[in-house]
Every structure is written in structure tokens, then in C-alpha cells.
Amino acid sequence: MAATNHPVVGAPKPSPAPADGSVPLRIEIRDLQSNNPDQWNLYLLALNAFKKLDEKTDLSYYGIAGKIYLICIWTPLTMSKVLQASSQAPAKPSSSRQPRRFRIPYWDWAAAPASGDYFPNSVGSPKITVITPQSNGKAVQIQNPLYSYNFRPLNPVSGDFVDLPFRTWPKALRYPSSTTSVNAVSQEDQELQAMTSQFGGLQGNVNLLMSDPNCKDFSAFSNHARQQNEPGTFASIEDICKSIHVAVGGELGHMSELEYSAFDPVFWLHHVNVDRLFAVLQALNPTSYTINKRAGDGTFVINRNSTKTATTPLAPFADATGSRYWTSEGARQTTSFNYAYPETQRWKFNTDSDYQNSVRNYVQQLYGGISNQFMVMSAASAKPAAVAKAKTEESLEEGLGQNVREPPVA
Ligand SMILES: [Cu+2]
């Protein structure tokens, strides 16, 4: 592959740009599916088209999944932009599908799903229903682009797939039925079981990250390096992130192995959610977004023992110029990349404290299940709890409302 720097600029702004500074939202996958069938359809068609791009090109699914897996947080940006481009084609000629408003969805594995599918049905099914440009408005079944990735061709001599059994499997697998057979299949019931049984712990850990004073510092909530040396600091996003990889992939499933994880399409839904949790944490702790530290061993873009700060270039992620790199300072706000989350619609609030209250309400509503019940049971605090709950529902409605209120489709 050519050593080209592809600028990371995010999906395009809606045109004309809204006067209030709002940007389109990334929506939870189950909400996107049930609240916005048209964008959902667009997503599946775009992902399908994207996965068929020539594996030899940098910006194919294969090119991105195989080469950029190293830096989990940034890959969905790249992915979102490319998916956006793919979404243009199936949308034509109907402009009402609003491909410019399409944003890659996330899978919130720490919030209780209304339908009880702790692993989304839409990701675990081999087939899925869509309306294609050729199907005359009728729903037809296709191979589900969220289910797996078929290697075309599998190329074991390229060096990408040097490990057995990965170099023999023609597609990405979850809980492979055999670790030696070329014909292994995914065992979907197992990741559903794992996600269901681990749900309570995941929800509690996310709540802890968002609420515990020990987790207010970026170095504490972002990674587990600190945990080893400083007892008393617990869950980090990195720890939670890893546990999802393993719960979804199972033994020798693609998600469980760093080098191969991005070939399972659920990787992107998962990492968009990690990006979202960072955005929420930053909203709650706006001055804590970087670590000034010596780099230790270094990497292929970071010199050994060099000091990293908020203005250190984040190679290889080039900005719009194509020749300079993003920095932590420059990449603080997701709005710089033309997207936000239901929780992080800053433009709706007059003051920082109103905004933070709303974010805290979201966190309580989504992840604070147990403490919420406790408060309601206590007579003294029943009223404040009820007020907080009502406020939260209002904010949630506002959050999802943008998606729901989009102009009706033709
Ligand atoms: Cu990851």
C-alpha cells in the first residue's frame, strides 16, 4: 500500500450549516434502527458497498481495518468519513435521505437495551433486511454487513495474516466453533450470553468512571497504566474496552485479537462508543484531556523517552492540510469533526454548568440504575430523585429528538 497521509477531517457539515452551531449526531445503533429507518437503511447499504472496495486500496475496509487498528480511538473517524462517502451512492437520486447527516452509530454496551438484546440482534444475524436502489421499494434480504467480513482474497503471503488459524479462515468469526477447521462458524449465542452475564459489571464500571472523584484525571480514566502503580484507582476505559473485545470475540475470535479485531464489523460500533465515553468524560472534566509524560519505550511514531504534551503532533493522523498532524489540543471537541453525541449537544445550553448538569443526568439515567432506585426508596430524597429523573427524560428526549425530528422522507 502506498504511504499516503489521508487527512482526517470527519464527515462533511450539513449544507447550509445550521445557525446554532449544531452538528449531526452519532446515534445508538438500536435507536438508529428503530427511530430512523431511512438512515438505518443507508448505513447498511453504505457499509455493504464499502466492504466491497478493492482490498489493495488504503481506504477500503480491508485497508483501514488492517493498517490502522493500532490506534483504536481514531479509526472510527476515518471510518466515519469513508462510510459517509459510500453512503452518497445508494442515496441518489433521492436527496431526502440526507446522506450529509448520516453519522456512524455506536453500540452502548453499558446501557440496558429496551429490547433486552445485550448484543444487538442486528449485529448478530447472518442476514438482514434492506431496501436497495434496485428493489423498487421492497424489503429484500442481504448478507448482513454487520455480521462478518469476507476476505477477498485471503492472502496469507502478504504478511497480514501470518498466524494460524487466522490465515486459513475466509471470514471474521465470533466464538469460532473450531480453532483448527477452515470451516469454523461463529457461535452467536455465546457472545449474547457473555454480554448478558457481564452487563451489570460493565454498567457499574462505566458509572464509576463517570462519577468517582478518583477518575476525574485523564490518566486515571483513560488507561490502566496507572492502576498497576497506584492502588485505589480502578476501572479505566482501556480496561472496559478490552473486556468487550474478549466478550464479543471469544477464544480466538477476531475481536479478541488486536491485530484482527477491526475485521469484525462490530469493532467500529464498539469503538465509536469508546469515543463517546471519552466525549462524555471530557464534558464532565473539561480541563483534563491529556497527560504530560515521558513516552518510555516509544513507538514507530514516538521517540523513546520524549515528553508528550497537548500540542505533540499525533502522527499519522494528518489534519485538513494533509501535511500537519492533529494534536490533543486541536482534537478536543468532536464538533471539530462535525459530529456530536446525544449527551454532548453543547450548543443547546447557555452555560457550562447547565450543560454539565444535563450530561450528569444522562450518566445517571443510563448507568446509575442501582443508586437511582436507592434514592427513590428514601423518603427524604424522594423528591430530588424524581426531579432529577424528570429532567433526565427531558434531556434524553431532546437528545434523540434531533434524530426523530428530521424532515420526513419521501
Ligand atoms: Cu479496541
Side-chain angles (χ1 to χ4, degrees):
M1 263 173 227
T4 311
N5 264 349
H6 298 281
V8 179
V9 292
K13 278 191 167 73
S15 178
D20 63 358
S22 62
V23 291
L25 301 185
R26 290 178 171 182
I27 301 292
E28 213 279 336
I29 182 168
R30 286 161 292 215
D31 292 332
L32 184 69
Q33 184 175 15
S34 48
N35 298 342
N36 200 327
D38 210 54
Q39 292 261 319
W40 172 248
N41 199 64
L42 193 59
Y43 171 50
L44 294 173
L45 294 182
L47 187 57
N48 209 20
F50 173 44
K51 286 169 72 187
K52 289 183 177 147
L53 296 178
D54 185 345
E55 290 187 346
K56 290 189 203 66
T57 58
D58 283 353
L59 295 182
S60 64
Y61 186 99
Y62 184 92
I64 293 176
K67 300 295 180 198
I68 320 186
Y69 63 81
L70 281 170
I71 303 160
C72 292
I73 300 301
W74 283 79
T75 43
L77 278 171
T78 314
M79 176 63 115
S80 195
K81 171 75 169 45
V82 178
L83 255 186
Q84 236 284 332
S86 298
S87 75
Q88 309 286 332
K92 284 171 186 164
S94 167
S95 59
S96 63
R97 283 186 179 146
Q98 296 199 323
R100 288 184 79 90
R101 293 198 65 82
F102 170 75
R103 296 294 181 270
I104 192 169
Y106 58 90
W107 164 36
D108 187 355
W109 23 253
S115 52
D117 54 340
Y118 290 95
F119 189 77
N121 289 326
S122 58
V123 184
S125 309
K127 297 262 170 93
I128 202 155
T129 303
V130 290
I131 296 170
T132 72
Q134 294 82 32
S135 72
N136 293 324
K138 286 202 196 79
V140 290
Q141 274 210 331
I142 60 166
Q143 302 280 354
N144 183 0
L146 293 166
Y147 184 64
S148 184
Y149 178 80
N150 295 308
F151 299 101
R152 299 165 298 104
L154 178 67
N155 186 359
V157 292
S158 73
D160 289 334
F161 288 89
V162 289
D163 298 334
L164 278 170
F166 294 99
R167 70 171 179 227
T168 66
W169 280 334
K171 60 186 174 198
L173 297 169
R174 302 171 190 146
Y175 290 85
S177 56
S178 159
T179 54
T180 51
S181 168
V182 188
N183 301 317
V185 292
S186 291
Q187 303 178 92
E188 293 299 323
D189 54 322
Q190 295 204 26
E191 81 256 2
L192 177 61
Q193 213 173 67
M195 291 309 301
T196 306
S197 65
Q198 291 174 31
F199 175 75
L202 276 172
Q203 189 182 45
N205 281 349
V206 169
N207 193 37
L208 184 74
L209 267 186
M210 300 293 176
S211 321
D212 192 302
N214 287 321
C215 298
K216 286 201 147 310
D217 183 72
F218 182 84
S219 65
F221 67 66
S222 64
N223 70 87
H224 60 202
R226 171 174 162 146
Q227 193 185 337
Q228 289 153 0
N229 307 326
E230 298 178 40
T233 311
F234 301 108
S236 69
I237 285 192
E238 187 182 0
D239 275 320
I240 297 174
C241 177
K242 278 186 174 175
S243 67
I244 301 294
H245 275 266
V246 177
V248 170
E251 190 190 354
L252 284 180
H254 284 69
M255 266 293 272
S256 303
E257 307 290 321
L258 176 66
E259 293 85 344
Y260 311 116
S261 59
F263 287 105
D264 185 329
V266 77
F267 173 95
W268 310 97
L269 293 160
H270 165 46
H271 273 286
V272 175
N273 194 45
V274 172
D275 177 77
R276 167 178 159 270
L277 293 180
F278 267 114
V280 170
L281 273 160
Q282 283 185 264
L284 294 172
N285 309 288
T287 57
S288 185
Y289 59 96
T290 189
I291 310 170
N292 290 348
K293 265 192 178 165
R294 292 259 296 269
D297 287 346
T299 69
F300 71 103
V301 288
I302 295 173
N303 293 331
R304 187 181 168 83
N305 287 332
S306 54
T307 299
K308 301 290 132 199
T309 70
T311 53
T312 300
L314 297 171
F317 300 106
D319 66 13
T321 64
S323 54
R324 282 194 300 268
Y325 295 111
W326 282 98
T327 63
S328 301
E329 185 68 52
R332 275 174 77 176
Q333 310 295 341
T334 67
T335 46
S336 304
F337 303 93
N338 301 324
Y339 73 90
Y341 294 101
E343 297 83 356
T344 61
Q345 301 178 71
R346 174 65 186 89
W347 60 88
K348 289 190 166 180
F349 301 90
N350 288 328
T351 66
D352 286 343
S353 77
D354 284 355
Y355 174 50
Q356 289 199 348
N357 280 337
S358 160
V359 176
R360 266 189 287 273
N361 282 338
Y362 267 110
V363 169
Q364 172 66 14
Q365 176 79 12
L366 292 170
Y367 311 117
I370 295 164
S371 53
N372 209 2
Q373 277 179 14
F374 179 73
M375 284 174 74
V376 172
M377 280 163 67
S378 152
S381 57
K383 200 175 166 198
V387 170
K389 190 162 184 297
K391 263 191 155 177
T392 306
E393 277 163 6
E394 190 182 276
S395 328
L396 274 175
E397 264 176 22
E398 272 178 17
L400 298 174
Q402 164 151 355
N403 191 33
V404 176
R405 279 199 300 272
E406 279 182 1
V409 295

